[in-house]
Amino acid sequence: MKGLYTALMCSFDEQGNINEQGLREIVRYNIEVSEVDGLYVNGSTGENFLISTEQKKQIFEIVKDEVGDRVKLMAQVGSLNVDEASELAQFVTDLGYDAISAVTPFYYKFDFEEIKDYYNTILEGVDTKLIIYSIPALTGVSMNLEQFGELFENEKIIGVKFTAPDFYLLERLRHAYPDKLIYSGFDEMLLSASVLNVDGAIGSTFNVNGKRAKQIFTLAQSGRIDEAREIQKVTNDLISEILENGLYQTIKEMLETQGVHAGYVRKPMKRLSEEKLLKARSIAEKYL
Ligand code: SI3
């Protein structure tokens, strides 16, 4: 399960329906052009929190059908509705996904006992292994070293997608849990996380920048830090431009320039203005 995983985008049409062909094209582009090791399906980048349970299932099915066994698949099933999370965990287990992942429960101020119960409940009926999805900036949920340790006591919890700029905690986690899988979640910090010996990374910009991300990761692993730093610099130039123009919208438009029908974002996300569409195309021309 080590390596680089694209946080997969989903293609939606103008009405917000899933565009199956577009989704298949995004999957193929990631495998054949970006050459990533795996796909992280229905995460933030997949606009997971804006779609229905049926749509989530449809996406899991289409992606598995398109991928077969070509790359590893991680299914993000986390939900404020723990019944939905459990149902999806069972669903992707039956489909043959390699692992599940679940975002920490958010919005209400859950205490740690409640968070622990959430993960244990999701895992009750399934044997599939789970990666915690920790992204404090969006969820407001920050866990400390001891709390991660308590969650890791469940043997089915095999790692964490660590999306935070806290390199002290990351180093402590790496040191304390050498056998757990740690994935870096911020693409702009991939080199720094790789130096701390993470097992892989999961990122949205890998949809268009997977090759550079892989280079950063493999160069860092072999100690070629100066070369890795050069590529991280170009990557961060690209990420800055993407973030300034609109994260998911810009990546989708960049994919469109490559003949991949990545489509539109779902409401309430807004579409790019004409000016920003042109900007997205010029970013693609510059970096792809
Ligand atoms: O679940 C997911 O889609 C992710 O893996 C998200 C990932 O951590 C991205 N974060 C968000 C909020 O989209 C990053 O890849 C992020 O877009 C990137 O580092 C640019 O800031």
Side-chain angles (χ1 to χ4, degrees):
M1 294 299 297
K2 295 183 180 187
L4 289 209
Y5 288 67
T6 296
L8 195 70
M9 311 221 91
C10 182
S11 177
F12 297 105
D13 67 19
E14 291 197 63
Q15 283 71 45
N17 304 307
I18 296 165
N19 172 353
E20 177 172 344
Q21 284 317 313
L23 175 55
R24 288 180 185 275
E25 287 171 18
I26 298 173
V27 169
R28 287 201 292 273
Y29 187 84
N30 271 291
I31 298 176
E32 291 158 20
V33 180
S34 299
E35 296 178 348
V36 292
D37 303 305
L39 302 175
Y40 188 82
V41 186
N42 280 341
S44 316
T45 310
E47 299 168 60
N48 174 74
F49 304 104
L50 306 177
I51 61 178
S52 69
T53 311
E54 277 320 303
Q55 286 175 313
K56 291 175 191 180
K57 287 184 176 175
Q58 204 186 333
I59 293 167
F60 285 135
E61 273 175 337
I62 294 168
V63 173
K64 178 62 187 169
D65 182 62
E66 188 60 43
V67 169
D69 293 321
R70 287 191 284 170
V71 295
K72 295 283 182 195
L73 286 177
M74 245 184 245
Q76 199 296 123
V77 300
S79 168
L80 271 188
N81 176 348
V82 73
D83 294 336
E84 185 200 42
S86 298
E87 183 183 333
L88 291 174
Q90 186 61 60
F91 187 77
V92 297
T93 298
D94 295 342
L95 282 176
Y97 271 65
D98 299 287
I100 55 177
S101 178
V103 71
T104 51
F106 51 92
Y107 190 78
Y108 300 104
K109 299 285 176 206
F110 299 108
D111 68 22
F112 180 66
E113 282 313 305
E114 291 168 325
I115 294 173
K116 199 167 135 184
D117 181 60
Y118 163 87
Y119 282 110
N120 292 336
T121 304
I122 293 173
L123 283 165
E124 244 160 40
V126 290
D127 281 333
T128 316
K129 304 290 189 265
L130 181 139
I131 306 289
I132 299 161
Y133 179 7
S134 174
I135 182 163
L138 293 187
T139 58
V141 179
S142 293
M143 292 188 290
N144 61 32
L145 186 66
E146 290 69 32
Q147 290 171 330
F148 276 112
E150 244 188 87
L151 294 181
F152 286 155
E153 280 170 18
N154 183 333
E155 282 177 7
K156 290 185 197 166
I157 300 184
I158 57 167
V160 57
K161 168 164 134 50
F162 187 89
T163 311
D166 186 343
F167 288 98
Y168 175 49
L169 178 57
L170 180 58
E171 188 280 333
R172 292 290 80 192
L173 276 169
R174 175 71 302 166
H175 177 77
Y177 304 106
D179 298 331
K180 296 291 179 183
L181 293 165
I182 303 180
Y183 300 89
S184 165
F186 273 132
D187 315 352
E188 50 276 50
M189 301 171 199
L190 175 57
L191 172 57
S192 317
S194 302
V195 169
L196 291 178
N197 220 9
V198 292
D199 299 290
I202 299 168
S204 63
T205 62
F206 303 170
N207 280 282
V208 287
N209 195 48
K211 276 196 173 153
R212 284 195 194 93
K214 189 92 179 255
Q215 285 172 333
I216 295 166
F217 185 60
T218 45
L219 283 168
Q221 279 186 318
S222 50
R224 293 160 66 184
I225 303 300
D226 286 345
E227 290 162 82
R229 194 162 39 222
E230 285 299 310
I231 303 168
Q232 184 74 66
K233 192 251 165 217
V234 178
T235 288
N236 286 1
D237 290 344
L238 165 62
I239 292 175
S240 299
E241 293 200 46
I242 289 178
L243 289 175
E244 203 181 315
N245 204 53
L247 177 60
Y248 303 137
Q249 296 89 332
T250 302
I251 296 175
K252 285 191 171 183
E253 189 56 26
M254 289 176 77
L255 284 168
E256 290 277 348
T257 67
Q258 305 304 296
V260 176
H261 296 102
Y264 302 91
V265 288
R266 272 182 64 93
K267 283 184 178 180
M269 287 189 199
K270 65 173 186 287
R271 295 191 191 157
L272 295 179
S273 62
E274 202 51 43
E275 191 188 335
K276 288 195 168 193
L277 268 177
L278 293 176
K279 177 68 184 170
R281 289 172 199 155
S282 79
I283 298 172
E285 209 171 293
K286 191 163 154 194
Y287 293 96
L288 301 187

